[in-house]
Amino acid sequence: MKIYADNAATTRMSRRAIEAMIPYMEEVYGNPSSLYSIGQEAKDALESARETVAGCLGCSPGEIIFTSGGSEADNQALFSAASAGERKGKKHIISTAFEHHAVLHALKRLEKEGFEITLLDVSGSGVVSPKQVEEAIRPDTCLVTIMYANNEIGTIQPIAEIGRICREKGVTFHTDAVQAVGHVNINVKDENIDMLSLSAHKFHGPKGVGALYCRKGIPLLNLIEGGAQEGGKRGGTENVPGIMGLAAAMQEACDKIDESAAHITPLRDRLIEGLERIPHSILNGDCKKRLPGNVNFCFEAIEGESLLLLLDDKGISASSGSACTSGSLHASHVLLALGRAVEIAHGSLRLSIAEDITQEQVDYMIKAVDEVVAYLRSISPVWRDLQEGKREFILK
Amino acid sequence: MALYNEKVMDHFRNPRNVGALEDANGVGESGNAVCGDIMKVYLKIEDGIVKDVGFETFGCGSAIASSSMATELIKGKPVEEALELSNKAVVEALEGLPLRKVHCSILAEEAIKAALEDYYRKQGLPIPQKILDYKPAVEEDH
C-alpha cells in the first residue's frame, strides 16, 4: 500500500490546478506588462486570479500581491511592518516560540538590527492565548506575528481574538497562514488580520508561488526592486501559470473546506486513537484545536529517521522532528517549545493526511507504526534501560 | 539519489549481530540520548578471539548500519585486530556515508573500544595503550 502522509510538507497538485496553468504556458504566454493582445490577456487572467484569491480571503483584490511562496510573503510582511514601526520609534515585536523559520529567522535578523523580540510561550497545548498577547503588547510594539496553524503539530491559534486585541491597540497583526489556507475557513476582515501569508503548494497548487494579503493603508516595503508589477511592491515578471494554478487550487479547496474537514477529521481522530494505544507515546499539541489532517506523536526510546526509513519501506511517506532528519542536526524547535525533552523530540512522527485518505489507509498506518516502533524499541539500548529500571520513563 | 547507498540500507534493514549477548565478557556504550544516538556493543571473547558480538542501537539509519558493519568487521577476529578497527574502515566497508552522518561511524568505533576496555578490566589485564590513547575523531558538522 502506498500512502502519502506528508501533506504539511507539500501536496499533490489537483487536476483543476494543473489544467488552469497549461493555457498560460502554451497559448497565453504573453508578458502581462505588454500592450498587445496576448500580453493583455495574461494581464486579465492575473487580475481574475487576484479576484479569486481576494474572494477566498474576504478582502479586495488590491490587497493581494503574489509572491514566490510563503517564505517570501512572511519576509516582506515582517520587514515592512518593522520598517514602518521604526519610523515611529516603535521597535518591539511579539511572536511565538514555534513559528516557522521564515518568521523566526527574519525576527533574528531584526533583533540584530536593534528590534526587541518577545516570543510567547506555547508550552503544553501548543496554543497561545489572547491574554498572553494582550499582556505582551507595549506602547512601542509595532507588530504581532502569530501563525494561523503550526506546521509541525497543526495547532490552530485563536486568530480572531488576537486580531481584535491588536486592532484595539493599534498594532499591526500578521499571520503566517501557510498551513491553514484551504484547510480552515478564514476571513481577514472578520478576524481583523492586517497581513497574511499563504503558499499554493500546501493546498494542491503549484510550488514556487504564494501571496501576501496586506490591508489597504498598511505600508509595504519591497524585497525585490524592479518594474511596476504587483502595484510596484514586487518587481519581476509575474509567474502567470503559477498564479493561475494557485487561484484554481485555492478556489477548489475553499469551496469544499467543510466537506473535506468532515471527511478528514474523524479519520485523523481514528489515527490518533490508534497511535495512542502504543505504550509510552504522546500526541503533540491540542487534540481539538488542530488542523483536520495533522497527527503528530512522540514515541519514547526510538529515533525518528529510522522510523521514517522503515515506514517508507512499508509505502508510507511521513516526516519527523528528529535532529537527523532536519538537515541541521537540531531537534525540532516546535517540539522543544512545547516542552518536550530533547531525547523525546528525536522520536517524533508527523502524519499529515489529505482529502483522499481512507479508513483502510488509516488502519494500515496504525499497524505499520506500531510494528516499526516495536521493532526499533527491540534493538534500542534506551528501551532496555527503561525496561530494566535503569532509566526513568519520560512518557508514561 | 537516495539518502543512503544500497549497502547502508541493507545493513540498516537487515542489521547483522543485533541484540544483547547474555554471556558477554565485554560491554561498552557510546553516545547519548540527547544527541539522538546511543550504541551498546557486547563482546564474547575467548582465547584472544572475538567469538561473538552483539549490539543495540538507538539512532538514525546510519547509526544502525554503522553498528551492524562495525560488529561484522570484528566478528571472529583476534582482539588485536578489533582494537585496530577505525571509523574510516566502517565508512569504507559501507561504501560511504553522507558527510554529516560520519559521526555515526565514530560512535561505532567508540562503543567497540569501550567494550574492549571493559573486557580488559574484567580480565584484570593491562589496558592497551591503543585504548588509553584513543580520542574519538573530530566529528565534522556536528
Side-chain angles (χ1 to χ4, degrees):
Chain A
M1 194 181 282
K2 285 266 177 214
I3 307 171
Y4 180 76
D6 203 12
N7 287 279
T10 196
T11 56
R12 175 186 179 146
M13 276 189 70
S14 79
R15 179 51 48 192
R16 205 183 290 182
I18 294 169
E19 280 169 5
M21 295 174 72
I22 292 170
Y24 297 91
M25 294 185 263
E26 283 183 336
E27 296 149 32
V28 192
Y29 49 79
N31 187 322
S33 301
S34 300
L35 59 80
Y36 40 75
S37 311
I38 62 166
Q40 288 305 302
E41 262 182 71
K43 173 86 180 156
D44 290 346
L46 186 65
E47 294 317 316
S48 78
R50 204 182 305 281
E51 281 172 27
T52 301
V53 172
C56 292
L57 292 175
C59 63
S60 46
E63 295 174 309
I64 298 295
I65 72 164
F66 291 111
T67 67
S68 66
S71 293
E72 185 189 329
D74 283 340
N75 274 260
Q76 189 164 14
L78 266 62
F79 292 125
S80 296
S83 163
E86 194 170 22
R87 284 197 298 273
K88 293 179 193 158
K90 294 181 170 188
K91 295 185 75 173
H92 176 238
I93 298 172
I94 298 166
S95 189
T96 70
F98 74 161
E99 294 295 312
H100 189 273
H101 284 132
V103 167
L104 283 183
H105 290 174
L107 290 175
K108 206 165 260 179
R109 185 156 127 193
L110 288 167
E111 196 169 30
K112 279 192 193 135
E113 292 171 8
F115 284 82
E116 197 184 327
I117 314 292
T118 299
L119 294 183
L120 301 176
D121 180 21
V122 290
S123 59
S125 65
V127 181
V128 75
S129 76
K131 191 161 174 278
Q132 279 174 283
V133 178
E134 189 159 25
E135 287 172 359
I137 292 177
R138 313 191 311 211
D140 63 339
T141 304
C142 62
L143 170 69
V144 171
T145 173
I146 292 176
M147 66 202 325
Y148 209 109
N150 184 269
N151 51 310
E152 288 187 36
I153 59 171
T155 50
I156 298 171
Q157 308 305 310
I159 293 301
E161 289 96 317
I162 296 169
R164 185 179 50 75
I165 292 164
C166 291
R167 190 61 57 86
E168 279 169 15
K169 304 251 184 184
V171 178
T172 300
F173 175 43
H174 166 254
T175 184
D176 171 353
V178 166
Q179 292 290 334
V181 169
H183 303 283
V184 293
N185 291 302
I186 298 175
N187 183 299
V188 292
K189 298 293 172 211
D190 292 350
E191 295 171 65
N192 289 311
I193 297 165
D194 294 318
M195 297 167 122
L196 174 146
S197 309
L198 65 91
S199 176
H201 75 108
K202 305 294 190 184
F203 48 78
H204 308 288
K207 292 167 183 65
V209 59
L212 174 64
Y213 150 76
C214 182
R215 185 164 68 87
K216 194 167 182 282
I218 303 278
L220 268 185
L221 199 72
N222 283 44
L223 292 185
I224 301 172
E225 298 293 351
Q229 295 91 351
E230 299 302 296
K233 295 302 173 192
R234 204 252 184 199
T237 299
E238 302 87 342
N239 173 8
V240 180
I243 290 166
M244 299 313 287
L246 179 154
M250 192 162 170
Q251 186 70 65
E252 191 180 11
C254 291
D255 283 348
K256 55 175 196 180
I257 268 184
D258 297 327
E259 186 193 325
S260 299
H263 170 66
I264 304 169
T265 310
L267 290 171
R268 174 201 71 187
D269 292 341
R270 186 182 178 92
L271 185 51
I272 290 173
E273 282 161 29
L275 297 179
E276 270 173 344
R277 287 197 292 271
I278 296 175
H280 306 287
S281 67
I282 193 165
L283 175 73
N284 292 311
D286 192 276
C287 66
K288 294 282 172 232
K289 292 173 192 159
R290 69 191 299 134
L291 292 171
N294 179 290
V295 173
N296 189 312
F297 267 81
C298 282
F299 303 101
E300 188 150 13
I302 63 151
E303 193 281 328
E305 189 202 275
S306 305
L307 178 62
L308 297 191
L309 291 169
L310 293 173
L311 288 176
D312 189 26
D313 282 350
K314 291 178 182 282
I316 301 168
S317 308
S319 81
S320 168
S322 139
C324 276
T325 62
S326 70
S328 66
L329 295 176
H330 295 296
S332 151
H333 71 286
V334 173
L335 297 176
L336 299 181
L338 271 195
R340 295 278 174 260
V342 184
E343 53 267 53
I344 295 300
H346 287 307
S348 80
L349 173 70
R350 179 184 70 186
L351 296 167
S352 43
I353 56 179
E355 298 76 9
D356 56 354
I357 192 76
T358 64
Q359 183 168 316
E360 190 193 3
Q361 289 177 324
V362 165
D363 293 346
Y364 176 81
M365 286 196 283
I366 294 168
K367 187 165 170 282
V369 174
D370 188 24
E371 284 169 6
V372 172
V373 168
Y375 164 69
L376 288 173
R377 282 175 171 171
S378 78
I379 67 166
S380 164
V382 177
W383 186 248
R384 171 183 296 277
D385 286 353
L386 290 165
Q387 296 297 309
E388 292 175 354
K390 289 179 189 160
R391 189 189 279 266
E392 293 263 327
F393 277 104
I394 297 174
L395 303 178
K396 297 300 167 200
Chain B
M1 214 189 91
L3 177 59
Y4 298 122
N5 67 42
E6 273 309 307
K7 190 101 181 173
V8 175
M9 284 307 290
D10 175 39
H11 276 263
F12 166 66
R13 289 189 180 115
N14 312 294
R16 282 60 148 179
N17 312 312
V18 67
L21 298 184
E22 295 307 324
D23 56 350
N25 54 5
V27 181
E29 198 176 282
S30 65
N32 65 70
V34 173
C35 288
D37 302 285
I38 296 184
M39 288 183 199
K40 197 164 182 179
V41 169
Y42 301 80
L43 300 175
K44 174 69 183 164
I45 298 170
E46 271 175 23
D47 306 325
I49 304 283
V50 180
K51 286 276 187 218
D52 203 1
V53 54
F55 79 87
E56 289 174 321
T57 291
F58 159 83
C60 58
S62 62
I64 292 171
S66 295
S67 317
S68 167
M69 183 55 89
T71 51
E72 203 57 359
L73 289 174
I74 62 165
K75 196 173 180 179
K77 300 280 165 62
V79 179
E80 293 73 24
E81 269 186 52
L83 263 177
E84 296 295 323
L85 180 85
S86 69
N87 82 291
K88 265 201 178 128
V90 175
V91 176
E92 275 164 25
L94 286 171
E95 295 168 8
L97 282 176
L99 189 59
R100 65 191 195 88
K101 298 289 192 171
V102 169
H103 77 102
C104 296
S105 66
I106 298 171
L107 287 178
E109 181 189 347
E110 265 188 272
I112 288 174
K113 293 259 194 317
L116 287 167
E117 184 175 350
D118 182 54
Y119 164 75
Y120 284 106
R121 257 184 231 292
K122 281 180 178 152
Q123 301 297 314
L125 296 167
I127 311 291
Q129 203 57 38
K130 184 92 192 167
I131 290 177
L132 295 175
D133 292 344
Y134 174 67
K135 283 192 196 83
V138 176
E139 295 183 15
E140 291 173 69
D141 192 22
H142 186 50

